[in-house]
Each structure stands twice: as structure tokens, then as C-alpha cells.
Amino acid sequence: QLYRDARECLTLLSQRLGSQKFFFGDSPASLDAFVFSRLAPLLKAKLPNGKLQQHLKSLQNLCNYCTSILSLYFPWDGGEICPPTSPTGSGGEAEEDPHKRRNQLLSVLVGLVAMLGYAFLSGIVSIQRGSAGPASHQPIAMEEEEEEE
């Protein structure tokens, strides 16, 4: 029932958009931002069940709508997201990025360095040099602290 309602909603959006560039003429409105925020992830994400995604890709005007917004407002990421529909089906995994693993690893490393840098700069984590002096200068262990209370 949920998929049926979603398909119907996409079809109604497609009919309402028609051949216009945006829902209310030649310039985007808040409705365009809202609709795009729902359609773009549906088009770009890899989903376990692609029924709704395939239905959206079959609605060429909504596909073109997302592509034009991506190229207009996100030119660095505005590539073609909706290939022309073909009766044979999907292209898929064969065109996958050959450097995907490297890019994922670099992303994780950059994120880790950024988080550690933030932790050090904000004082959440600090490095203190320990001295090999008398035991009275060493911090009290948690168990000893609880016994003192």
C-alpha cells in the first residue's frame, strides 16, 4: 500500500510539473526545494528495493527537473542521473568507479583526522607528559577516589 501511494504521488507530481522547468513557472519556489529534497536522494541512492526508484526514472520530466536543479545549483555534482529509459533494463554495477575503495578509505582518514584535530583544539583531549617522580604526584585511581568519599 505504501509503495502504491508513493508511486501515485510521484505520478501526480509529474503531471503537475508537466513540461515546466519548475512547479510555479520559470523560477524555483519553496515547493521546488521541498520536492527536490525528496526526489534527488531517491534518484541517486542505491536502494535495496528499486521499485520506486525505477518508477521515478520512468517519469522523464521529474528526472529532467532534478538534473536541471543539480546542474543549476550544484554544478560540481550535476551529472546526468537519469539515463534515457530503455526497454532492456539496467546498466548497474559494471560501470562502478574503479577507485571506490581508495576514495572510501581517504574519506574515512580525512574524517578521522578532522575529528581528532577538533578534539585537540577544543580541549576535549589533551596530551600530558607523565613524570617518573614520587607516587604522590600521580593521579588518584577511580577506586581510591570512591573509597575516600
Side-chain angles (χ1 to χ4, degrees), residues 6-82:
R7 286 174 58 104
E8 181 181 353
C9 181
L10 290 174
T11 304
L12 290 173
L13 281 172
S14 176
Q15 290 172 356
R16 170 63 180 91
L17 180 63
S19 61
Q20 298 180 59
K21 188 172 182 177
F22 299 105
F23 280 97
F24 295 112
D26 290 335
S27 61
S30 57
L31 176 65
D32 293 295
F34 182 79
V35 170
F36 174 77
S37 73
R38 300 304 192 263
L39 295 182
L42 182 58
L43 282 172
K44 289 197 141 230
K46 291 185 179 178
L47 303 172
N49 185 344
K51 290 180 189 176
L52 196 56
Q53 190 175 51
Q54 288 303 319
H55 179 67
L56 180 54
K57 286 182 179 182
S58 72
L59 301 170
Q60 199 60 40
N61 66 335
L62 286 180
C63 240
N64 294 338
Y65 168 78
C66 286
T67 302
S68 75
I69 290 177
L70 278 172
S71 63
L72 184 62
Y73 293 103
F74 306 98
W76 60 89
D77 193 37
E80 186 71 23
I81 56 176
C82 292

Side-chain angles (χ1 to χ4, degrees), residues 134-147:
S136 63
H137 292 295
Q138 293 189 4
I140 300 173
M142 193 64 152
E143 297 166 1
E144 294 173 4
E145 192 177 294
E146 289 175 358
E147 289 174 7

